[in-house]
C-alpha cells in the first residue's frame, strides 16, 4: 500500500514537473498561432478603426497576425462577457474604451467584474468627441440647434451605439444638460449610426473624431460642438460645448487592451511590449494625430496605468451617470 502511495506520489511529481516544463516552454514560444483581438462594437466604427490600426504593428512585433473580431451588442458588455470567459492563453485579447468603466453604473448586474476578471495590458489613446447633425438639419450652430430641439422635442432623433456606449453617454449628458428628452436610437456601433446620419435617417449623433473629421470638413455632417475643453486643431472653427454654455462638458474616450484573467506573466509582458511598439509606430502616430487623438504617455501604456485608470473612472462616472439619471 505504502509502495503504491509513493509510486503515485512520484508519478504526480514527474507529471507536474513535465507539465510545468511544458507550460514554461509554451509561454516562452508564445505566440505560435494568430491572436484574436475582440472589438465590442460593429465594424467601421471608431473602436474598430483603432483596433485595426494597432493590430498590424502589434502582430509584427509578436511575429503572428492579430486578427480583429467584432462582437457587437449591449454597449460592449456581450464582448466583455465573452472575453472574461475565454481561455487565458494569450490568444484572445480585447480592446475596449471607457465603456469598461461606465457599464458598472449603467447595468444592474454585469456577468463579469471589470476589476477582477481581466488582466490589464495598457492604455492606448484618448479620443475627443463631436456633437454632429445631419447636413439637412435646419440648425446651423449650437444656438439654433438648441432652439430647434426646444421647438421639436422628441421628434428629434439621436443615434447611439447602445447602453454603455460613449455615444449614448455623451448624447444623454447633452440632453440632461439641455433638460430635454429626444428619441434615442440604438445601433450596434457608431459605424452603422454614422452611416445613417450621413444618409439623413437620423438627426444627431455624438461621435468620436476617429473618422468624422473629413465628413465635418467637407460638409457632409454639421458639427455643433466638441466635448473637449479646448478647440481641436483639426477643426478650429468648431466651438467647444463648454464655451457655448455647457460649462465643464468634457468627454474624452480612453481605450485599453485587456486579456482574460490568468494569462501567464511572460505572455502579458510580451503583449505589453508589442503594444508599446505599436504606439511608437510612425504610421499609428500620424493616423491618430490626423484625427486629433492623443496617444497615451508611456506610463499609461502599462498594466498599472490601465488598471488604476479603470478604477478611477468607475468611481468618476458612477455618480455622473446616476446624477443625470442615465438611462432613465
Ligand atoms: C464604436 O466603435 O462603435 C463606438 O466606440 C461606440 C460608442 O459610441 O461607444
Amino acid at each position: 500500500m505504502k509502495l503504491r502511495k509513493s509510486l503515485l506520489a512520484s508519478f504526480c511529481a514527474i507529471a507536474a514537473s513535465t507539465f510545468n516544463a511544458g507550460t514554461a516552454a509554451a509561454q516562452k514560444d508564445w505566440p505560435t498561432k494568430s491572436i484574436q483581438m475582440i472589438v465590442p462594437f460593429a465594424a467601421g466604427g471608431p473602436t474598430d478603426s483603432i483596433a485595426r490600426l494597432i493590430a498590424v504593428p502589434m502582430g509584427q512585433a509578436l511575429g503572428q497576425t492579430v486578427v480583429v473580431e467584432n462582437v457587437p451588442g449591449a454597449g460592449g458588455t456581450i464582448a466583455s462577457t465573452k472575453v472574461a470567459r475565454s481561455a487565458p492563453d494569450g490568444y484572445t485579447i480585447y480592446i475596449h474604451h471607457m465603456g469598461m468603466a461606465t457599464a458598472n453604473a449603467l447595468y444592474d448586474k454585469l456577468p463579469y467584474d471589470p476589476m477582477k476578471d481581466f488582466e490589464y495590458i495598457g492604455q492606448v489613446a484618448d479620443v475627443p468627441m463631436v456633437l454632429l447633425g445631419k447636413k439637412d438639419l435646419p440648425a446651423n450652430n449650437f444656438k439654433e440647434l438648441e432652439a430647434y430641439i426646444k421647438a421639436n422635442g422628441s421628434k428629434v432623433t439621436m443615434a447611439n451605439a447602445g447602453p454603455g456606449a460613449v455615444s449614448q453617454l455623451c448624447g444623454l449628458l447633452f440632453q440632461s444638460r439641455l433638460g430635454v428628452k429626444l428619441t434615442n436610437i440604438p445601433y450596434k456601433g457608431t459605424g452603422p449610426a454614422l452611416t445613417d446620419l450621413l444618409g439623413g435617417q437620423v438627426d444627431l449623433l455624438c461621435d468620436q473624431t476617429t473618422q468624422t473629421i473629413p465628413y465635418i470638413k467637407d460638409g457632409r455632417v454639421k458639427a455643433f460642438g466638441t466635448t473637449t475643453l479646448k478647440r481641436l486643431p483639426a477643426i478650429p472653427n468648431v466651438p467647444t460645448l463648454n464655451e457655448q454654455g455647457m460649462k465643464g462638458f468634457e468627454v474624452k474616450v480612453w481605450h485599453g487592451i485587456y486579456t482574460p484573467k490568468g494569462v501567464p506573466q511572460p505572455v502579458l509582458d510580451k503583449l505589453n511590449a508589442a503594444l508599446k511598439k505599436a504606439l511608437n509606430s510612425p504610421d499609428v502616430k500620424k493616423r491618430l494625430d490626423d484625427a486629433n487623438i492623443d496617444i497615451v504617455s508611456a506610463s499609461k501604456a502599462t498594466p498599472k496605468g490601465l488598471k488604476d485608470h479603470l478604477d478611477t473612472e468607475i468611481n468618476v462616472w458612477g455618480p455622473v451617470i446616476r446624477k443625470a439619471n442615465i438611462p432613465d
Side-chain angles (χ1 to χ4, degrees):
M1 189 63 174
K2 257 191 182 163
L3 180 67
R4 268 180 67 187
K5 264 194 182 164
S6 77
L7 273 178
L8 187 65
S10 323
F11 173 77
C12 288
I14 292 167
S17 73
T18 313
F19 176 78
N20 287 340
T23 313
Q27 291 169 17
K28 192 164 155 282
D29 292 344
W30 182 93
T32 55
K33 60 177 184 182
S34 63
I35 297 157
Q36 188 183 41
M37 182 187 275
I38 307 266
V39 173
F41 295 102
T47 316
D48 181 67
S49 302
I50 293 189
R52 288 176 199 277
L53 183 60
I54 61 166
V56 175
M58 274 188 83
Q60 283 160 353
L62 293 165
Q64 289 288 344
T65 315
V66 175
V67 183
V68 169
E69 195 204 332
N70 300 85
V71 181
T77 55
I78 292 174
S80 300
T81 307
K82 179 180 162 106
V83 173
R85 292 176 184 164
S86 298
D89 54 11
Y91 290 103
T92 302
I93 64 175
Y94 185 38
I95 183 165
H96 196 357
H97 59 38
M98 57 193 272
M100 194 71 165
T102 56
N104 251 27
L106 290 166
Y107 287 85
D108 284 342
K109 201 163 160 29
L110 290 174
Y112 58 88
D113 183 335
M115 292 309 295
K116 288 196 186 136
D117 295 339
F118 299 88
E119 303 287 350
Y120 309 87
I121 305 300
Q123 284 185 66
V124 181
D126 296 331
V127 187
M129 300 190 84
V130 192
L131 175 63
L132 302 173
K134 66 178 182 186
K135 79 170 185 311
D136 296 334
L137 207 66
N140 285 312
N141 54 47
F142 187 73
K143 274 259 144 321
E144 289 178 15
L145 178 66
E146 253 184 302
Y148 179 76
I149 286 176
K150 295 233 155 105
N152 291 282
S154 62
K155 280 198 208 129
V156 181
T157 54
M158 185 159 203
N160 69 57
V166 285
S167 43
Q168 188 221 28
L169 179 68
C170 174
L172 293 183
L173 282 176
F174 166 73
Q175 292 169 49
S176 144
R177 292 287 289 262
L178 272 191
V180 294
K181 224 173 153 206
L182 307 181
T183 299
N184 295 295
I185 304 179
Y187 289 77
K188 288 198 166 174
T190 44
L194 182 62
T195 304
D196 271 10
L197 186 79
L198 288 163
Q201 283 90 2
V202 68
D203 297 324
L204 296 169
L205 166 68
C206 206
D207 198 6
Q208 297 161 66
T209 56
T210 319
Q211 286 139 321
T212 50
I213 287 181
Y215 298 124
I216 296 170
K217 282 186 168 165
D218 70 14
R220 276 188 281 170
V221 292
K222 288 180 176 173
F224 293 105
T226 68
T227 67
T228 46
L229 297 183
K230 284 194 184 145
R231 291 191 185 199
L232 297 172
I235 41 172
N237 297 332
V238 179
T240 66
L241 291 174
N242 176 59
E243 75 187 82
Q244 300 182 97
M246 293 202 162
K247 283 274 157 278
F249 197 111
E250 188 181 22
V251 186
K252 264 205 158 190
V253 188
W254 57 272
H255 294 71
I257 307 260
Y258 307 80
T259 69
K261 184 85 185 164
V263 170
Q265 193 58 48
V267 173
L268 296 175
D269 292 345
K270 285 185 193 176
L271 281 168
N272 179 257
L275 170 64
K276 285 193 169 132
K277 257 198 169 157
L279 296 181
N280 277 317
S281 132
D283 179 45
V284 170
K285 281 189 166 166
K286 164 140 186 26
R287 295 209 10 221
L288 293 182
D289 198 44
D290 287 348
N292 285 176
I293 295 171
D294 297 329
I295 291 185
V296 295
S297 63
S299 65
K300 284 182 159 192
T302 59
K304 181 169 165 35
L306 174 56
K307 192 172 183 190
D308 287 355
H309 192 62
L310 176 63
D311 195 17
T312 307
E313 286 277 292
I314 288 174
N315 292 311
V316 164
W317 284 104
V320 176
I321 288 167
R322 282 186 284 274
K323 189 169 168 224
N325 269 333
I326 296 173
D328 60 356

